[in-house]
Amino acid sequence: MNLIKFTGEVVFIINGGGMNIRFFQIFLAIALSAECSAGDFRCGEPIPVEKYGQIGSGGLINNAVGTLDSDGKKLLLCYSSGCMMNKNIFHSYLEIGRAEDGAPLFKKSARFDSPECGFNNRTRIFKSRDGNTYAFFATPQGLLRAKVDSISGKFSFFGKLLKCGQFCAIVENPDGSYYIYTSAKTVLKEPEKKEVHPWNGQRYVPFDGSLIWRKGEYRSYLQVQKLDSIDSENLSEPKRATTSTSEVISYTCGDSYSDSSGTVHMFVGTREGVITYYNVKGGGMLSPVKLCKVGDVALRAPWVDNSPVVMLRGGNPDLYAGGEGGIYYYGFDRWMPDGTPVFKRDLRAREVNTRLFFGSLPVVEAVDWDGDGLTDIVIGNSQGQVGWAKNVGSPGNPKFLEPDLFLKNGEEFMEKGGYLNLQGPEEAQWGYVGPAAFDWDEDGILDLLTGDNSSHFGVYFNLAGKGGANFAERKMLYCNGLEIHGTWRQRPGIARMQNGKIAYVILDWDDQVRLYWRMDKLNLVDAGKLRLVDGSPITATGTQNGECGRIKFDLADVDGDGKTDILMGTIGCNSVPNLSAGIPRNLAGSMMAASVLWLRNVGSEDNPIFEYPRLMMLKTSLEGDSCGESVPTKFGWHSCSVSKADFGGDLQGLLVGMEDGNIYFYKFSQIDWRDFNSLERKKAKNKKNG
């Protein structure tokens, strides 16, 4: 374990959550790198970025969890890379300057682990008035406290679990006592009694016939409890601290500071992206809520579950906030006459010598976006953004710049699920945009075709010309006068077949693979469900509810036989091609994880028919060594994406995006496609939920 020193420096602590299954990459690192190496580019390792890139990755959620005061000249930044092997894993960063856009620029310093794995986005680390550094970890059993050694970086846990609610913030008082703030809920509308089925069950019906959410409506407020001292077990009963019981929809975590007058300021994040501001009064009571602003509008961060921390510069509060994505920076601008804090626009906090990153759950496509002969990478993310990483290397030696955000009518490209997404209003901030780059209107300029969190399938026509990245508003695609509809969180598969036709493939309303042919730029012709060699349809999961959809398609000739195959990036619960025996859902042991599947076309371009799926596995031996075994690829749980890629030279293979934001490349020579019938699957059949 690396050690970290806190002495004499300001510390930001950033925490990340989510399941990351990467042990196979540790096992394969030497072999894969030995076979594929071009400068800093290594097969099977996260793709690096030139110069600098956004801080993030290592966890599905990356949250700021605290600061340590200092002389303000240096900044040490830490974030947890998520719960791996039942540990929080932190990384520290030292501020070294500013990027061209004014965002803080960091250098990675060290890594250290905590033996506890709590609710990762509900952790606070701070330096107390007694000069010691403490950590508060929220767990399902209660609130854990630990002292952080300033020399070794080790966590020493002490005291009994504090039985409190959903932890949000902590304030240290001059007398050594603490106010602990937790979130509580108010029921505005009771859920209908018949709505008791799980989100992934067959009988789950979240909206009524008027498209009104049936699972109830809630608001949150803050409660306060007093802790006599850092090591005390005397925690007072909770009492409401806010002026109302209906402040926001859902709180996350926050931070506080005292100014020169002794006024305590507190910032608390929300699941929906707004950041609230309070003054702490006597007894821990809070002033009426104000929403932080950027310019003349409320600050609404572009990601889910943001948790701000404060960094004082010149006595003013700059904010760092993360969530399901990377770390963003809000520089303080001014106070409004009514006491509302105003911040400058969000900037991505950067680090040098890092990997390519564009938020969590990246949906990747290898394509020459700007027509310079080099393969670039287009990326969508769970935030609803789309961007591209330009390749500035050479054939066989790719190098990528930090991704640039695509624009829509000159504004940042952003698509959110909103109210009418499958899992309801509390997930309105998710976008899950799955972009496919294709010249859809056949004008010689690449457009974008997308699926998203609300099961919309449309096209964005490029307004900026070749290599440009400014798009018109989305136009929906139609078949027989009706908008195309299917399951959620997909990336459509699009390809010009050898017969000259343009194929468009998605999961339909039955969660089965369906083929359309392009008629014109807004209309498709239904060619029916695609089928296997035994005549059965190709099903993704078949539950029809929260587990449905989620496939990221790529249509490509994988084996060079002149026929267009199907590549799929899955979630761990997908079950291709059927619910009872499909993969990866029914794989034995620990192999159930987000995976890449290949379905080989053994029919024709006019009438494609597919073999059973083959699972992407990786060879553990070098080329020509027959002694090694193949191991399964495990790309997290929530999702992975795949695209056939040709980076020149001998770099032909697959580009894969993992849920934690890392993007990998694997040469075809390193891949072992394991036949469906040779895979060990669970003995018992899946039972339908509901």
Side-chain angles (χ1 to χ4, degrees):
M1 182 176 76
N2 292 323
L3 304 182
I4 184 170
K5 295 183 178 181
F6 290 141
T7 53
E9 297 176 339
V10 176
V11 178
F12 253 155
I13 312 268
I14 302 178
N15 178 320
M19 294 178 62
N20 297 292
I21 309 174
R22 347 172 134 166
F23 308 114
F24 78 96
Q25 291 173 12
I26 298 172
F27 184 64
L28 294 174
I30 296 176
L32 291 177
S33 296
E35 188 185 354
C36 175
S37 177
D40 293 329
F41 189 91
R42 301 283 191 276
C43 295
E45 297 183 9
I47 293 176
V49 67
E50 296 293 296
K51 201 174 178 180
Y52 52 69
Q54 186 177 17
I55 294 176
S57 191
L60 180 62
I61 297 176
N62 300 281
N63 271 325
V65 298
T67 60
L68 304 180
D69 57 2
S70 173
D71 56 13
K73 296 180 180 179
K74 296 181 179 180
L75 178 67
L76 188 67
L77 182 78
C78 305
Y79 77 94
S80 161
S81 62
C83 259
M84 297 164 52
M85 298 182 290
N86 295 317
K87 294 181 178 182
N88 280 316
I89 299 175
F90 296 89
H91 294 270
S92 63
Y93 296 81
L94 182 69
E95 184 177 353
I96 59 174
R98 294 277 169 153
E100 283 84 347
D101 61 358
L105 186 62
F106 299 90
K107 179 180 179 181
K108 185 174 287 188
S109 177
R111 164 177 166 166
F112 62 103
D113 300 346
S114 161
E116 300 292 336
C117 184
F119 290 151
N120 293 351
N121 61 335
R122 297 187 179 272
T123 301
R124 295 286 93 177
I125 299 179
F126 62 96
K127 179 173 273 187
S128 84
R129 298 172 186 269
D130 65 11
N132 294 313
T133 301
Y134 297 103
F136 279 55
F137 294 89
T139 75
Q141 293 76 38
L143 198 60
L144 284 169
R145 291 164 289 176
K147 185 177 180 180
V148 185
D149 188 275
S150 62
I151 303 298
S152 68
K154 293 182 178 180
F155 295 85
S156 301
F157 288 84
F158 61 86
K160 293 183 179 179
L161 285 167
L162 297 177
K163 300 295 183 179
C164 61
Q166 196 171 41
F167 176 64
C168 290
I170 185 169
V171 171
E172 184 180 14
N173 298 309
D175 64 357
S177 65
Y178 294 84
Y179 292 134
I180 294 176
Y181 293 89
T182 59
S183 177
K185 278 193 172 182
T186 297
V187 179
L188 298 185
K189 182 181 178 182
E190 292 282 355
E192 294 186 19
K193 292 183 180 180
K194 60 183 176 181
E195 179 46 69
V196 295
H197 307 293
W199 66 274
N200 59 348
Q202 290 284 349
R203 299 173 64 189
Y204 174 78
V205 183
F207 295 91
D208 64 17
S210 301
L211 296 181
I212 302 300
W213 181 250
R214 293 173 48 197
K215 295 189 67 178
E217 187 175 356
Y218 307 90
R219 292 294 184 270
S220 297
Y221 62 95
L222 291 174
Q223 299 183 124
V224 65
Q225 295 172 267
K226 188 175 182 181
L227 182 66
D228 287 345
S229 64
I230 192 68
D231 57 354
S232 174
E233 297 172 8
N234 185 18
L235 189 65
S236 67
E237 291 295 314
K239 61 180 180 180
R240 178 162 58 90
T242 51
T243 57
S244 79
T245 59
S246 184
E247 298 280 288
V248 297
I249 296 176
S250 179
Y251 287 104
T252 52
C253 243
D255 196 16
S256 63
Y257 77 97
S258 296
D259 64 20
S260 58
S261 70
T263 301
V264 180
H265 309 261
M266 190 166 75
F267 299 85
V268 185
T270 68
R271 188 174 182 85
E272 295 72 40
V274 299
I275 297 178
T276 62
Y277 168 75
Y278 301 93
N279 288 141
V280 180
K281 307 294 185 180
M285 297 296 101
L286 300 176
S287 64
V289 64
K290 297 182 185 298
L291 299 184
C292 301
K293 290 191 173 186
V294 173
D296 59 353
V297 298
L299 192 164
R300 186 168 62 249
W303 60 90
V304 177
D305 285 341
N306 75 82
S307 290
V309 299
V310 177
M311 172 64 186
L312 293 178
R313 297 184 190 271
N316 293 317
D318 288 353
L319 297 183
Y320 286 81
E324 190 167 306
I327 305 302
Y328 286 78
Y329 166 76
Y330 293 89
F332 179 79
D333 188 23
R334 67 187 188 279
W335 297 99
M336 294 179 64
D338 67 353
T340 299
V342 181
F343 296 88
K344 301 173 185 177
R345 66 171 294 264
D346 59 272
L347 298 171
R348 290 175 284 182
R350 311 309 215 292
E351 62 172 303
V352 298
N353 301 319
T354 187
R355 71 285 165 276
L356 182 65
F357 180 74
F358 192 66
S360 302
L361 295 140
V363 181
V364 298
E365 181 171 24
V367 62
D368 183 2
W369 182 260
D370 55 2
D372 65 355
L374 298 175
T375 300
D376 311 301
I377 303 176
V378 170
I379 316 169
N381 61 28
S382 66
Q383 299 169 214
Q385 300 169 316
V386 182
W388 72 297
K390 179 177 173 59
N391 185 352
V392 294
S394 59
N397 185 26
K399 298 180 179 182
F400 298 95
L401 298 180
E402 178 186 29
D404 279 338
L405 185 66
F406 280 172
L407 303 178
K408 185 171 58 176
N409 288 328
E411 302 290 333
E412 292 186 355
F413 190 108
M414 188 78 69
E415 289 291 348
K416 300 292 188 182
Y419 179 86
L420 291 176
N421 75 85
L422 183 59
Q423 292 175 191
E426 285 201 3
E427 298 199 358
Q429 272 286 82
W430 272 295
Y432 287 104
V433 175
F438 195 86
D439 180 11
W440 190 249
D441 56 4
E442 300 185 295
D443 65 352
I445 301 169
L446 290 173
D447 307 301
L448 286 180
L449 295 101
T450 64
D452 60 27
N453 201 44
S454 295
S455 303
H456 290 133
F457 299 93
V459 57
Y460 299 86
F461 294 113
N462 198 332
L463 302 174
K466 195 166 188 170
N470 184 31
F471 300 87
E473 289 290 338
R474 179 174 57 193
K475 299 288 187 182
M476 296 302 172
L477 297 177
Y478 292 82
C479 180
N480 295 323
L482 184 68
E483 287 182 15
I484 297 294
H485 57 291
T487 49
W488 72 336
R489 300 186 183 181
Q490 301 186 51
R491 194 263 298 281
I494 306 168
R496 186 179 294 275
M497 310 287 275
Q498 295 295 323
N499 57 15
K501 295 181 181 179
I502 296 175
Y504 183 95
V505 171
I506 62 169
L507 295 172
D508 65 12
W509 49 90
D510 295 320
D511 208 27
Q512 295 176 336
V513 182
R514 198 173 197 93
L515 170 66
Y516 298 87
W517 298 115
R518 180 189 181 276
M519 176 192 297
D520 56 45
K521 67 180 185 180
L522 294 180
N523 294 279
L524 305 173
V525 177
D526 189 359
K529 298 179 188 291
L530 291 175
R531 297 187 180 273
L532 299 170
V533 291
D534 64 1
S536 62
I538 307 166
T539 302
T541 298
T543 66
Q544 298 297 297
N545 289 302
E547 290 183 344
C548 72
R550 302 172 183 261
I551 293 288
K552 312 305 186 291
F553 289 99
D554 189 44
L555 304 185
D557 181 2
V558 176
D559 57 355
D561 66 353
K563 299 176 184 178
T564 303
D565 308 313
I566 296 177
L567 289 166
M568 293 182 175
T570 78
I571 185 175
C573 61
N574 281 142
S575 190
V576 185
N578 58 67
L579 186 59
S580 62
I583 57 177
R585 186 188 187 103
N586 294 291
L587 291 175
S590 62
M591 291 176 64
M592 181 179 171
S595 305
V596 172
L597 308 180
W598 170 35
L599 284 73
R600 182 170 176 263
N601 183 1
V602 294
S604 66
E605 294 287 84
D606 288 306
N607 183 29
I609 300 172
F610 296 91
E611 293 181 335
Y612 275 71
R614 302 183 187 190
L615 178 68
M616 176 183 173
M617 303 184 71
L618 294 178
K619 302 172 182 177
T620 61
S621 62
L622 297 180
E623 196 76 14
D625 183 357
S626 61
C627 297
E629 299 290 332
S630 295
V631 298
T633 53
K634 301 179 181 181
F635 297 114
W637 174 257
H638 282 81
S639 180
C640 70
S641 61
V642 60
S643 174
K644 183 181 176 183
D646 184 352
F647 292 117
D650 65 346
L651 297 183
Q652 290 83 41
L654 298 182
L655 192 70
V656 180
M658 186 171 169
E659 67 175 28
D660 63 6
N662 283 316
I663 300 171
Y664 302 87
F665 174 76
Y666 303 92
K667 289 175 64 176
F668 281 130
S669 61
Q670 298 167 330
I671 298 172
D672 178 15
W673 293 107
R674 189 59 56 88
D675 182 82
F676 180 84
N677 292 319
S678 70
L679 294 169
E680 184 181 358
R681 296 190 292 276
K682 299 174 183 176
K683 304 300 182 185
K685 293 185 177 181
N686 279 305
K687 296 180 180 179
K688 294 184 178 181
N689 299 313

